[in-house]
Amino acid sequence: MKLQNIKYLFAAVLLAGVVSCSDDDDNTPITIDPVPTPTEVDFSGTFAQQDQMGRAAINTVLGGDSAAKNSFNTTIPSEMVAGFQQAFLDKAVALHGAFGVEYEENILALDAQTLTTLLAQDVLQVAPDAPTTYFDGTNVLTGRTLSDDVVDVSLILLFGGNNGDKYNGQDLDDDGTPDLPILVTDNVSAGTGAMGTTTFPYLVGPQ
């Protein structure tokens, strides 16, 4: 009798196991919720200007310490001349004086006062009826093209003097050692490849 009961109990357990382990792989496709649509960026609110660059290297060379540079970057153009022209003038004169020379009119016949007034308002002008160029030997600051070496042009206007090469490593006392530094170029070539073309992203590959 006990043996018979054990047999029935074993059969019941086995049947329960078969039922509970039924084949779930019935090839029914699994439905996945679609990717939610991204929420549109909210541009409402108050924004603060953090940086700007109309002309390359101007703030870097003439802008003073970090606090002054940051202040320049967050100032609107209409307030720049009043806020920074005098500091730019003092810095330009001091940089020349550090090498025992005085600022002289540059290749555009601009004296230090006029040049620093022009540079203190950091905007990039565009002349609709003239060739677009940062400087091509005749036209100046009428715009900017991809092939313009804007840093060298800025340095020449600041340190080049009448002929554009005043600070170009000259040996003033003929002793074989340069007495003036090279300040009219950053010595970075315009490069080749995409530079000066319409190919995005307008970058030069490794040289």
Side-chain angles (χ1 to χ4, degrees):
M1 184 65 178
K2 290 182 179 179
L3 182 60
Q4 191 77 4
N5 290 339
I6 292 174
K7 180 175 69 173
Y8 290 147
L9 178 61
F10 178 77
V13 171
L14 181 62
L15 180 61
V18 171
V19 172
S20 64
C21 296
S22 62
D23 186 5
D24 291 331
D25 188 9
D26 56 2
N27 296 320
T28 301
I30 299 174
T31 302
I32 301 176
D33 292 336
V35 177
T37 303
T39 304
E40 291 186 3
V41 178
D42 182 5
F43 287 106
S44 63
T46 302
F47 292 83
Q49 178 175 309
Q50 295 297 320
D51 197 5
Q52 68 173 12
M53 181 179 288
R55 301 190 186 97
I58 302 304
N59 192 24
T60 303
V61 174
L62 301 177
D65 59 17
S66 295
K69 287 181 170 64
N70 289 336
S71 178
F72 183 81
N73 282 332
T74 56
T75 299
I76 60 175
S78 61
E79 298 176 359
M80 285 179 161
V81 174
F84 300 97
Q85 185 274 329
Q86 186 61 52
F88 278 20
L89 174 61
D90 294 343
K91 186 68 173 290
V93 171
L95 288 171
H96 285 75
F99 296 97
V101 296
E102 294 183 359
Y103 178 93
E104 64 182 41
E105 289 186 354
N106 62 19
I107 55 176
L108 301 178
L110 301 178
D111 59 21
Q113 178 79 27
T114 305
L115 177 63
T116 53
T117 299
L118 173 67
L119 297 180
Q121 190 171 38
D122 192 27
V123 295
L124 184 63
Q125 297 98 334
V126 176
D129 298 321
T132 299
T133 179
Y134 207 69
F135 180 63
D136 62 3
T138 302
N139 301 282
V140 61
L141 300 178
T142 56
R144 177 176 175 177
T145 68
L146 293 172
S147 58
D148 287 336
D149 195 337
V150 296
V151 173
D152 276 14
V153 170
S154 296
L155 293 175
I156 288 170
L157 292 178
L158 280 167
F159 303 111
N162 301 141
N163 298 320
D165 63 351
K166 182 175 182 178
Y167 278 95
N168 199 23
Q170 291 91 332
D171 178 10
L172 300 179
D173 54 11
D174 297 321
D175 64 353
T177 301
D179 297 297
L180 295 179
I182 299 176
L183 299 180
V184 293
T185 178
D186 59 3
N187 286 314
V188 177
S189 67
T192 57
M195 185 64 70
T197 73
T198 58
T199 303
F200 183 82
Y202 318 115
L203 298 176
V204 179
Q207 301 294 302

